[in-house]
Amino acid sequence: MTIKYQAIKGVKDILPGETEKWQFMEMTAREVFECYGFSEIRIPIFEKTVVFTRSIGETTDIVEKEMYTFTNGSGDSLTLRPEGTASVVRAYVEHNLYNPPSVVKLYYMGPMFRCERPQAGRYRQFYQIGAEVFGTENPEMDAESIGMLIRYFERLGLKDLELQINSLGCDECRPKFRKALLEFLKDRKNMLCEDCQRRFERNPLRIFDCKSANCHEATKESPTIESYMCENCKSHFDSTLRYLDKLNIPHTENPKLVRGLDYYTKTAFEIVSKKLGAQNTIAGGGRYDKLIEEFGGPPTPAFGFAIGIDRTASLMEDKNYIRISPQIFIATVGEKAGEKAFELIDTLRLKGIRVERDYENSSLKSQLRKADRAGVKYTIIIGEDEINKGRAILRDMPASQQEEIEILRIEEIVSQKLR
Ligand code: ATP
Ligand code: MG
């Protein structure tokens, strides 16, 4: 019996036809982010486990149950990255990127790994593009970064997105809110799901993020952070919203928005698509002013976000990106023409022209069919007769018109036509 090999559940191949869309998302991110002064950082796919447990938080879903962790030969516990921020912060501190003091803006892209139940919009290997800014507390940066993200989605042609925003407070005000929340939930504890009963003491804010209807009901009338926010957090939040207004970016305040990672302070936000089902958040992020210190760096305020590329891709329509396809097809009849074409194809490709050909000595009719399927604008037909006259036929495929051209001038004529 032959074994049928298949990719692991929750992990997928991205095939030609689809990869063009991914390339477009990546290229556009580079273009947009570089306008805002970001440079690319390439971080490893795996790290020591503590890099993630320390930063993301011991009681988060990611650390509690979603990480791919293994031990290597020397007994170190290693983990496939479930997200990018922890590694970027580790690298920022490790390479003293805070010296000389300045605002440092970095972006990354690549696969992330979480052992979650696979379903639409939720994979075990998924892709993110993320950006992080280090070194400023200024709320203009919160608004500017969110603005950059929105502009990016606009460039991808996405519509019907909603920006939801909240402030999670800081070390000064969040504990007060936490206390009030615990007080409120005390009598409702048995309404909570098993996970949230566990979260109750350790991480009660996470209960807002639970998808269970009962937990939702239990927190319906709960206090929100708004009433507990300190002056500093309040003014930061108000300014952020004001700067978003200046950028004409509509936003919905959601006082129950929390994120799946513990390191956020002050601003937290998500971008939600009205066109997706249950897994409808396509990007999320916020401020994390304490994380750099956690990693042994100097006090450094920071802001960042991550885009879920798989979900973003599912929202992109064909008309919003360009599929790269061959521009020219070379069809030949006879051995001599084939020999000539072999060189000509190389010359054209060296010019940066995308050329396709037939490899099977097919009939002219069949070659033209292949040219049609390849979607080229022009086919060059070279036959025995034409070769002897030093000429070839240039066929405009969509117009079904053809003209004779000099073989010596093919390169020049084709370059001109494709311009
Ligand atoms: P969710 O609430 O959907 O689980 P999250 O809070 O775990 O999201 P983040 O860690 O903030 O997500 O990651 C940012 C984005 O990455 C998400 O908004 C989503 O678009 C995407 N993402 C996260 N986990 C997955 C996954 N398992 N498969 C596909 N995309 C994902
Ligand atoms: Mg999650």
Side-chain angles (χ1 to χ4, degrees), residues 114 116 121-123 126 128 211 259 281-283 306 308 311:
R114 295 185 197 175
E116 304 196 68
R122 209 176 271 298
Y123 308 97
F126 63 99
Q128 288 187 336
K211 313 276 186 299
R259 309 281 353 279
T281 305
I282 59 169
R311 293 181 198 173

Side-chain angles (χ1 to χ4, degrees), residues 161 206 209 238 245 334:
L161 300 182
R206 299 275 309 126
D209 206 24
D238 290 344
D245 287 336

Side-chain angles (χ1 to χ4, degrees), residues 110-173:
M112 304 295 161
F113 305 86
R114 295 185 197 175
C115 189
E116 304 196 68
R117 194 170 70 79
Q119 51 191 293
R122 209 176 271 298
Y123 308 97
R124 291 182 166 175
Q125 174 172 336
F126 63 99
Y127 295 80
Q128 288 187 336
I129 296 180
E132 318 287 350
V133 181
F134 300 97
T136 178
E137 234 172 339
N138 191 338
E140 283 178 58
M141 186 53 88
D142 302 43
E144 188 175 298
S145 303
I146 296 172
M148 173 171 89
L149 181 58
I150 299 282
R151 301 296 175 240
Y152 171 64
F153 285 139
E154 283 171 2
R155 281 277 296 274
L156 299 185
L158 303 197
K159 301 219 166 63
D160 298 317
L161 300 182
E162 182 179 58
L163 164 62
Q164 296 195 2
I165 191 162
N166 190 20
S167 174
L168 298 175
C170 64
D171 284 350
E172 193 190 317
C173 52

